Amino acid sequence: MYHIGMTQWIVGNEPLEVSCARLRRCGYNGIEFAAEPYDLEPEECLALMKQYGLNCRSLCGIFGEDRDLTSGGEAGERAVQYIKDSVDFAKKVGAGIMIVVPSPVGRTVKPEGISIEKLTEQAVKHVRRAADYAEEQGVKLAIEAINRYETYFVNTLSKGMEFVKAVNHPAVGIMADLFHMNIEEASIPDSLLMIREYLLHVHIADNTREAAGMGHTDFKEVLRVLNRIGYEGSLTMEFMYRLADPYSAVEVSTQTGRMDRYAKQAIDFIRAAEESIRDFEIEEVLS
């Protein structure tokens, strides 16, 4: 059975202990903190994880306009420093992975007056610098491809793989997000097979971006492929309300019960899919 966590940034402005209690109650293994090292106290995070029997394997990077890895100016430097600061936080809470989006989320049009080649060159340079530091601290950076309605830059896993190959750094790999893949990939299983050598982390949401089982994504097939390629990382839930701007979720109060329902729905659905696959494989062996 896979280690299953849930990312924390989607729950809005509720107290961290409320989030941890929910995860324990629903049977999760871990929590993925938002990479906001300037807001979170590692000591509080560690104490709550211990209290509720959780761990942290990854951080979810938050990349707005002020953290732009494609920029040759101050925004690029801020993004590199932000990753370094987040890596320090990751080390303190035990996370071995930080998710990195190489362009601002929400920017859907390429800036005028600069070529995509130059933007890529700058992003590669900045990620490589950050990766040098991450490697020293024992943390890996997982590049995330974001769908075309949220960024103009790295939209597909093939583009993500090209970017990672350009960075060419042992501390840099790829994160697969099933919501974005549902929009951009012709075949989710084939895309996972394509990136298998680089895959570090997986985010789980249905095609509607709600909890697994609330849409039409074939999670059994996804799990079969992950088993086939020998994926040993975490499955982290990243569902949310239907929001045009995903980052607006941080301003939403979620103590309404909906996140409780989504959290339980998601883990129960994925655990049931795991059981179904295992039973099918046993029947095949016995037959």
Side-chain angles (χ1 to χ4, degrees), residues 88-270:
D88 289 340
F89 178 82
K91 188 174 181 180
K92 291 176 182 176
V93 297
I97 293 171
M98 178 185 173
I99 299 163
V100 172
V101 182
S103 61
V105 176
R107 183 190 293 173
T108 57
V109 178
K110 182 184 76 66
E112 293 184 6
I114 184 168
S115 69
I116 194 70
E117 290 78 16
K118 185 62 177 179
L119 291 165
T120 301
E121 175 189 327
Q122 290 171 170
V124 165
K125 178 185 69 175
H126 287 140
V127 170
R128 194 176 290 149
R129 285 174 53 205
D132 284 341
Y133 185 77
E135 185 178 31
E136 292 174 1
Q137 306 304 316
V139 175
K140 293 192 174 185
L141 307 181
I143 301 299
E144 180 177 10
I146 300 289
N147 75 77
R148 75 191 77 177
Y149 306 109
E150 294 180 42
T151 186
Y152 71 95
F153 195 54
V154 173
N155 305 118
T156 64
L157 289 183
S158 59
K159 289 182 180 179
M161 189 165 68
E162 289 175 8
F163 184 83
V164 169
K165 286 181 176 179
V167 174
N168 190 27
H169 197 289
V172 179
I174 296 176
M175 198 207 65
D177 184 301
L178 293 177
F179 168 71
H180 298 298
M181 292 172 68
N182 178 74
I183 296 173
E184 297 293 348
E185 307 299 326
S187 167
I188 289 177
D190 288 348
S191 295
L192 289 171
L193 287 169
M194 176 185 67
I195 64 165
R196 60 188 178 276
E197 295 179 21
Y198 304 93
L199 183 60
L200 296 177
H201 195 53
V202 176
H203 268 179
I204 298 287
D206 220 316
N207 67 291
T208 60
R209 211 169 201 171
E210 294 168 298
M214 297 181 72
H216 60 60
T217 301
D218 188 344
F219 286 100
K220 289 183 182 179
E221 185 62 25
V222 169
L223 293 173
R224 288 191 190 99
V225 174
L226 292 176
N227 290 344
R228 176 180 170 188
I229 66 178
Y231 176 69
E232 296 181 344
S234 299
L235 304 179
T236 299
M237 306 301 179
E238 196 194 36
F239 47 74
M240 63 182 70
Y241 307 115
R242 298 189 182 197
L243 299 170
D245 173 10
Y247 284 172
S248 66
V250 301
E251 300 173 356
V252 176
S253 176
T254 63
Q255 295 180 69
T256 61
R258 184 183 297 188
M259 278 297 171
D260 291 338
R261 296 193 298 273
Y262 277 19
K264 191 73 169 75
Q265 159 74 27
I267 193 168
D268 286 353
F269 189 86
I270 294 299

